[in-house]
Amino acid sequence: SSTCSFLVIMHSGSESIEFTLPNADWAAEWQIELDTTLPGAKSPELKMQPGQTLRVFARSALVLRASHA
């Protein structure tokens, strides 16, 4: 059977923040599955590397799926 791990980031602040993704112990890469700042909340095929920093906009949520190589 296959299992998936997800990272959910919910930011209720009034200003954008920088968030550093967990290191390679947690995932080989991260796929953004949902971004509430985008139309329809669906993210394009955007993959992020462990330890990479991403901007989390004010009053938004992100869901990232861990890829285990």
Side-chain angles (χ1 to χ4, degrees):
S1 85
S2 175
T3 62
C4 292
S5 299
F6 292 91
L7 172 65
V8 178
I9 303 168
M10 300 174 79
H11 177 44
S12 63
S14 61
E15 296 183 18
S16 297
I17 60 168
E18 298 292 319
F19 181 87
T20 302
L21 293 171
N23 64 31
D25 291 339
W26 295 95
E29 65 182 10
W30 296 94
Q31 167 80 38
I32 297 177
E33 294 292 330
L34 178 116
D35 181 344
T36 61
T37 66
L38 298 175
K42 181 62 180 157
S43 177
E45 294 291 317
L46 181 59
K47 295 184 180 183
M48 316 258 325
Q49 298 303 308
Q52 188 173 345
T53 300
L54 66 127
R55 179 172 300 279
V56 180
F57 291 99
R59 297 178 182 91
S60 68
L62 292 167
V63 177
L64 296 95
R65 181 175 38 89
S67 173
H68 303 283

